[in-house]
Amino acid sequence: MAAIDGLPPLRDVIAAHDLRAKKALGQNFLLDLNLTAKIARQAGDLSGCDVLEVGPGPGGLTRGLLAEGARRVLAVEKDARCLPALAEIAAAYPGRLEVIEGDALALDPLAHLTPPIRIVANLPYNVGTELLVRWLTPAVWPPVWDSLTLMFQREVAERIVARPGSKAYGRLAILAQWRCEARIVMDLPPEAFTPPPKIRSAVVHLVARAEPLYPADAAVLSRVVAAAFNQRRKMLRASLKGVAPGMEALLEEVGIAPTSRAEELSVEAFCALARRVATAR
Ligand code: SAM
């Protein structure tokens, strides 16, 4: 393993601080610093950016981000056992790493950063999806961040980038693609992690669009999409019945066959329907 910095190898860090992985915290660590530097590079040129990293653990990805030139990294970690290891990294990169101990779901760490801001994380999968949805649904758009570079289980990554007509296409795809350009940029086998998880993982890179792809009220779009996919096997005239009165006519007005199903509709069609529903109410 080639060193990307003058700090000890991660295996030694984990042994020195007794950082045995805890399942309850979703801890699957990346120990190959060449790999973490590669993930950091997927976030683009970080030299002029503040980076929010959620769940640094023993600091493999943190070291990748700093070695790749991030102006400043703010790392939020729930597991206090990791703080001494992270303090050693902060000492090696004076003034560039700040660590907050806490639950990323309960904090608003973005408020501590100066734009341009990028978010990079290898998180437990359940927390990752919840944070992704929060980051995609701020009160105002465009958001304070420019891009998200996040590790997910491969199946969730596929749901984020899915196209209409596929099984993976649903609420997450529409939410993500309406407001971002989303791509899978890396694929990782279980052996990349210690301990190895059961499933494959993938890194998704999402770049915030200056404006959503098509106009629509976010709350109405979300309601329409949720109703359509809650009963994804049903025809839209049935699944959307409760969303607005006269739904069948509204669907026809915007050129959608009432007999079609949710997974056949493009993001553009959902937005057209959301606009029509908004004015019908
Ligand atoms: N980034 C490290 C790496 O790539 O090796 C660790 C990744 S591990 C999959 C997930 C990390 O997120 C763990 O260090 C865990 O303690 C931390 N974590 C779990 N839930 C968290 C939460 N709600 N807020 C902040 N950190 C969390």
Side-chain angles (χ1 to χ4, degrees):
M1 191 190 296
I4 59 166
D5 52 32
L7 290 159
L10 281 157
R11 272 188 205 288
D12 296 355
V13 172
I14 286 173
H17 296 282
D18 196 16
L19 297 178
R20 264 163 303 174
K22 281 191 185 167
K23 216 173 174 181
L25 283 168
Q27 292 181 335
N28 301 98
F29 299 133
L30 291 166
L31 304 189
D32 178 347
L33 290 165
N34 288 317
L35 186 60
T36 62
K38 187 174 172 191
I39 295 169
R41 284 198 293 278
Q42 307 306 316
D45 178 5
L46 298 174
S47 55
C49 298
D50 276 12
V51 177
L52 171 63
E53 186 195 357
V54 181
L61 184 54
T62 320
R63 287 165 64 174
L65 292 165
L66 290 163
E68 288 298 317
R71 176 175 70 190
R72 188 173 156 235
V73 176
L74 175 65
V76 180
E77 174 56 59
K78 196 171 172 180
D79 185 355
R81 296 180 310 154
C82 299
L83 300 186
L86 295 167
E88 288 172 7
I89 304 171
Y93 288 94
R96 289 176 57 199
L97 172 63
E98 188 187 337
V99 181
I100 300 180
E101 181 194 347
D103 181 347
L105 293 168
L107 298 167
D108 182 16
L110 286 171
H112 298 260
L113 297 176
T114 309
I117 297 169
R118 301 199 180 160
I119 301 178
V120 183
N122 170 22
L123 268 169
Y125 297 123
N126 53 342
V127 180
T129 313
E130 183 162 347
L131 283 173
L132 171 64
V133 171
R134 285 193 197 181
W135 288 326
L136 289 173
T137 52
V140 285
W141 195 268
V144 292
W145 49 267
D146 292 346
S147 67
L148 310 171
T149 307
L150 307 172
M151 182 90 67
F152 290 100
Q153 64 193 87
R154 174 83 207 182
E155 177 256 321
V156 175
E158 280 167 6
R159 285 205 274 129
I160 294 168
V161 303
R163 297 289 172 203
S166 66
K167 265 197 181 148
Y169 185 65
R171 294 168 71 171
L172 207 49
I174 292 163
L175 178 59
Q177 295 171 34
W178 182 50
R179 287 182 150 168
C180 293
E181 275 176 54
R183 302 183 284 132
I184 293 179
V185 290
M186 275 176 79
D187 207 13
L188 286 95
E191 313 81 74
F193 302 85
T194 303
K198 289 201 177 70
I199 32 83
R200 292 186 73 78
S201 303
V203 177
V204 182
H205 184 61
L206 300 109
V207 179
R209 300 182 192 278
E211 283 177 30
L213 255 188
Y214 309 99
D217 177 86
V220 179
L221 178 64
S222 165
R223 207 166 51 245
V224 170
V225 170
F229 284 100
N230 274 347
Q231 302 182 70
R232 61 186 294 146
R233 311 238 167 276
K234 287 201 172 168
M235 292 178 190
L236 291 171
R237 67 176 173 214
S239 58
L240 295 180
K241 212 172 179 177
V243 171
M247 186 45 97
E248 192 152 347
L250 299 185
L251 284 163
E252 273 167 356
E253 272 178 48
V254 294
I256 300 170
T259 51
S260 51
R261 291 177 170 79
E263 67 182 41
E264 296 163 33
L265 252 55
S266 63
V267 177
E268 184 175 14
F270 270 114
C271 290
L273 182 58
R275 290 196 300 274
R276 185 64 195 90
V277 166
T279 54
R281 294 168 67 85

